[in-house]
Amino acid sequence: MLTSSRRQRIDDLAAGGGAPDAGVSLAVSAWRRLRRSPLFLVGAAIIGVFVVMALLAPWLAQHDPALRLLDDQVSRARNEIPPAQPGHPLGGDQQGRDLYSRMLLGSQQTLLVAVLATVIGLGGGLVLGTLAGAIGGWVDSVVMRLVDVMLSIPSLLLAVSVGALFARQTQFTVILAVAIVQIPIFARLLRGSMLAQRASDHVLAARALGVRRRAIVFRHMLPNSLGPVVVQSTLVLAIAIIDAAALSFLGLGAADDSVPEWGQMLGRAQDVIDSHPQLAFWPAGAIITVALGFTLVGESLRDALDPKNRR
Amino acid sequence: MALLEVDDLSVVFTRKGEQPVVAVDGVSFDVDPGQTVGLVGESGCGKSVTALAIMGLLPRRGVRVSGSVRFDGTELLGLPAAAMRDRRGRDLGMVFQDPLSSLNPVVPIGLQITEVLERHRRTPRKKAMVQAGDLLTRVGIPDPRRRLDEYPHQLSGGMRQRALIAMALACRPKLLLADEPTTALDVTIQAQILALLAELVRAGDTDLGDTDLGDTALVMITHDLGVVAGLCDEVNVLYGGRVVERGPRHPLFAAPHHPYTVGLLASVPRLDGPRGQRLSPIRGSVSDNIPWTSGCAFAPRCPNVLGACTSVTPEMEFGPDERLLRCHNPVPAPQEVRA
């Protein structure tokens, strides 16, 4: 029988809550390394500014981005576009709309494209990768051949093809086109680490304890396989922005430009890039900066999660 | 009746276009309830594969398992996967060699223990956590409350192996298979873990109510003769996938009769030998063998080899001192033992 003090201790135990310093998980130790990485700090600062900008855009922007306020200064015949002036720090665009407000509000759409495309690509990749890696056998073969076919097509060409399938391009078709390109990459990445997990000692040990297959896949294999996928996600955030811009540039962006988006703005600027480079400069600069931010974070995250760097 | 009866167990790994590899070639042994049985042999003799075959953990594809594994009167080979899964962790437990890689790195220790209890006993999480703490206490982990929330990498090697033993014994299995449980540990820790195993499998421990352990049979798989000498009631010496000598621990160590067992014992370095004494290894390696079908697999390395050894397969027979042996020319007992 248990002594009372022991019971007490066990009751305390059952009440939950460990010592405050208990449990330093992989994520926590990775975070400790990240905080010391200058690359990560620069990338995180860029992303921070970008996200704050997107969130505060409705208040920061002084004008409605769809309103043609400076229409009187636009002359198609003389190739005149409103220059910077008081109240319009970046001037106007080809249709006399305030460029500064459009840049600010464009950050929202760009963020939306990046996040949604990554989420869709990640979701599809997780499903396919888990199926292939966990079940194996013919399911693995079928899924992986499908993935190989998709990977054999150059990614931009694939995105363009998917985008062109839709009769009318909207922001959503752009997101979908960008996301579909990422699905096979996520799937292959996840399958690889799932296979490594399947052969691992701790999965064998879990099987030796009679743990059910579902629990083995979702509690033992998947959480241990996510590292590379998480890193890839941050990199895909950057890729998605660039790909979306490329689609817009190629004329497969959203047809409606009353809601501004940087890639689309850059695409529209190409007609006047010789005479009015500022119309291309601002969106292009913003895209490059944000993509750099996500890439820096992704790269430093990869280093931080690398078990070889653990101490 | 024996708890575990392994009879003529064979495991063959097959691969398309390649010669099949016979890992286990007709192993037979019994384990009685509460008994500790050792499986001894060098790398590649089929010890671990035997354990995996008993547990039903070998992959289905590319592996041919034949023979019979009867546990508690039930034939385990050919049991449906789900039925086998229900028995693993509940009736049969297993402890592996490397405690760090055998634990899930991203799940706290406590949850890994409660998982077994929830799975086999449908114990609610909260109650299971109490039992997990108790189990950790039982296997000698101090401050279990804190350890439950910790991750495997925060525990020392010895503590990890203790935690794994706690998991394997959580549902009080009747049989525990320990596959080289001390190989990856420091020598001082090895002794502690062996003492723990010996204590846990001993009958009559009724101190702990729900987490009462004991009366567990133990199959100790090892290449370390010291481990066997300290722990096992009966010893099976494996060579080339077959048992070549079997006997109770003391007589077997005092008077080994199979040349392989003699060689194993002679190759253990001794502190009490004369200074400068050379180690005496068994010459050759496991891969220098001939199939059991055409003689004795140990013949190419055997110092006592006869003509018959390379032509007639030796059978398991009673040799000198009523010892079960698979040998045409056993080593006679040393004089001082006979006297």
Side-chain angles (χ1 to χ4, degrees), chain A residues 1 6 10 12-14 17-18 23-26 201-202 204-205 207-212 219-220 223-224 310, chain B residues 55 57 85 88-89 96 101-106 115 119-120 126 130 133 137 145 148-149 151 153-154 207:
Chain A
M1 276 292 106
R6 194 166 193 181
I10 293 163
D12 291 350
L13 198 83
V24 178
S25 69
L26 266 162
D201 285 352
H202 72 85
L204 182 67
R207 287 176 58 215
L209 291 170
V211 178
R212 287 180 209 281
R219 196 176 303 161
H220 294 272
N224 282 298
R310 272 194 109 174
Chain B
M55 291 293 285
L57 286 173
R85 199 151 46 223
R88 282 200 295 265
F96 293 90
S101 62
S102 297
L103 287 162
N104 185 341
V106 302
E115 182 174 32
R119 161 73 175 87
H120 290 295
K126 229 177 159 177
V130 179
T137 312
R145 177 196 167 134
L148 284 176
D149 290 328
Y151 291 86
H153 72 268
Q154 293 170 285
D207 191 37

Side-chain angles (χ1 to χ4, degrees), chain A residues 1-3 6-29 32 136-138 140-141 197-198 200-216 218-225 310-311, chain B residues 52 55-59 61 84-86 88-90 92-94 96 98 100-107 111-112 115-116 118-120 122 125-127 129-134 137-138 143-146 148-151 153-154 164 167-168 206-209:
Chain A
M1 276 292 106
L2 289 164
T3 60
R6 194 166 193 181
R7 241 204 224 293
Q8 181 57 46
R9 259 177 48 213
I10 293 163
D11 286 347
D12 291 350
L13 198 83
D21 62 332
V24 178
S25 69
L26 266 162
V28 173
S29 73
R32 285 183 183 161
W138 66 269
D140 185 22
S141 302
Q197 285 299 317
R198 194 157 68 164
S200 73
D201 285 352
H202 72 85
V203 167
L204 182 67
R207 287 176 58 215
L209 291 170
V211 178
R212 287 180 209 281
R213 268 178 78 165
R214 201 183 334 150
I216 286 191
F218 291 107
R219 196 176 303 161
H220 294 272
M221 286 165 68
L222 197 55
N224 282 298
S225 311
R310 272 194 109 174
R311 40 187 105 124
Chain B
L52 292 176
M55 291 293 285
L57 286 173
L58 290 169
R61 290 206 301 179
M84 195 62 215
R85 199 151 46 223
D86 285 342
R88 282 200 295 265
R90 194 187 64 195
L92 299 129
M94 185 158 177
F96 293 90
D98 181 356
L100 179 58
S101 62
S102 297
L103 287 162
N104 185 341
V106 302
V107 176
L111 280 180
Q112 298 195 46
E115 182 174 32
V116 195
E118 287 172 48
R119 161 73 175 87
H120 290 295
R122 303 183 179 282
R125 171 74 55 88
K126 229 177 159 177
K127 190 156 169 262
M129 207 47 107
V130 179
Q131 292 185 10
D134 215 9
T137 312
R138 188 70 195 81
D143 200 0
R145 177 196 167 134
R146 199 184 66 173
L148 284 176
D149 290 328
E150 290 194 342
Y151 291 86
H153 72 268
Q154 293 170 285
L164 278 162
M167 278 173 222
T206 50
D207 191 37
L208 284 152

Side-chain angles (χ1 to χ4, degrees), chain A residues 135-160:
Chain A
I135 299 175
W138 66 269
V139 177
D140 185 22
S141 302
V142 169
V143 170
M144 280 304 117
R145 291 303 80 73
L146 197 75
V147 162
D148 285 344
V149 168
M150 286 175 77
L151 282 177
S152 68
I153 306 170
S155 63
L156 193 58
L157 188 61
L158 183 62
V160 167

Side-chain angles (χ1 to χ4, degrees), chain B:
Chain B
M1 189 188 64
L3 176 69
L4 178 76
E5 298 169 56
V6 178
D7 187 26
D8 198 24
L9 177 72
S10 294
V11 180
V12 182
F13 293 97
T14 55
R15 243 181 122 171
K16 226 182 251 174
E18 276 177 40
Q19 200 70 11
V21 177
V22 183
V24 179
D25 190 7
V27 162
S28 307
F29 63 94
D30 291 352
V31 182
D32 290 330
Q35 195 185 24
T36 298
V37 170
L39 292 184
V40 196
E42 63 198 302
S43 308
C45 71
K47 312 178 296 260
S48 298
V49 176
T50 303
L52 292 176
I54 294 170
M55 291 293 285
L57 286 173
L58 290 169
R60 303 207 153 209
R61 290 206 301 179
V63 181
R64 268 206 324 268
V65 183
S66 58
S68 155
V69 176
R70 290 180 75 78
F71 177 79
D72 226 4
T74 315
E75 176 61 52
L76 293 186
L77 295 185
L79 212 62
M84 195 62 215
R85 199 151 46 223
D86 285 342
R87 288 185 166 262
R88 282 200 295 265
R90 194 187 64 195
D91 298 336
L92 299 129
M94 185 158 177
V95 178
F96 293 90
Q97 181 171 347
D98 181 356
L100 179 58
S101 62
S102 297
L103 287 162
N104 185 341
V106 302
V107 176
I109 297 294
L111 280 180
Q112 298 195 46
I113 302 176
T114 56
E115 182 174 32
V116 195
L117 294 164
E118 287 172 48
R119 161 73 175 87
H120 290 295
R121 297 211 166 154
R122 303 183 179 282
T123 314
R125 171 74 55 88
K126 229 177 159 177
K127 190 156 169 262
M129 207 47 107
V130 179
Q131 292 185 10
D134 215 9
L135 276 162
L136 287 189
T137 312
R138 188 70 195 81
V139 296
I141 293 184
D143 200 0
R145 177 196 167 134
R146 199 184 66 173
R147 296 303 174 192
L148 284 176
D149 290 328
E150 290 194 342
Y151 291 86
H153 72 268
Q154 293 170 285
L155 270 59
S156 68
M159 271 199 268
R160 286 177 204 138
Q161 194 60 293
R162 286 172 194 269
L164 278 162
I165 291 171
M167 278 173 222
L169 294 179
C171 295
R172 276 193 279 167
K174 297 188 188 100
L175 177 71
L176 179 67
L177 297 162
D179 186 0
E180 308 249 9
T182 57
T183 309
L185 302 174
D186 287 353
V187 184
T188 48
I189 311 296
Q190 285 184 6
Q192 292 176 13
I193 294 292
L194 288 175
L196 175 69
L197 280 172
E199 183 194 335
L200 291 177
V201 297
R202 199 169 298 140
D205 185 321
T206 50
D207 191 37
L208 284 152
D210 270 354
T211 50
D212 164 32
L213 308 168
D215 219 6
T216 306
L218 174 64
V219 175
M220 190 68 161
I221 295 161
T222 182
H223 64 260
D224 187 341
L225 291 164
V227 169
V228 178
L231 204 62
C232 299
D233 303 320
E234 193 166 72
V235 182
N236 292 282
V237 180
L238 263 69
Y239 188 82
R242 285 193 188 184
V243 177
V244 294
E245 181 165 9
R246 161 180 316 151
R249 161 178 47 154
H250 289 298
L252 188 124
F253 276 83
H257 291 304
H258 196 285
Y260 178 60
T261 317
V262 174
L264 274 184
L265 285 168
S267 57
V268 176
R270 298 184 66 104
L271 280 178
D272 53 359
R275 263 185 86 109
Q277 185 188 28
R278 298 225 160 220
L279 295 174
S280 46
I282 304 176
R283 61 200 166 95
S285 76
V286 177
S287 53
D288 307 330
N289 65 10
I290 56 177
W292 281 108
T293 44
S294 56
C296 173
F298 187 59
R301 302 172 68 188
C302 184
N304 279 17
V305 67
L306 300 175
C309 292
T310 49
S311 54
V312 182
T313 306
E315 293 300 323
M316 204 68 174
E317 284 163 351
F318 285 102
D321 302 337
E322 301 292 288
R323 180 82 43 79
L324 268 170
L325 274 181
R326 190 189 291 280
C327 187
H328 292 307
N329 187 18
V331 179
Q335 288 307 312
E336 63 268 24
V337 172
R338 277 225 178 125

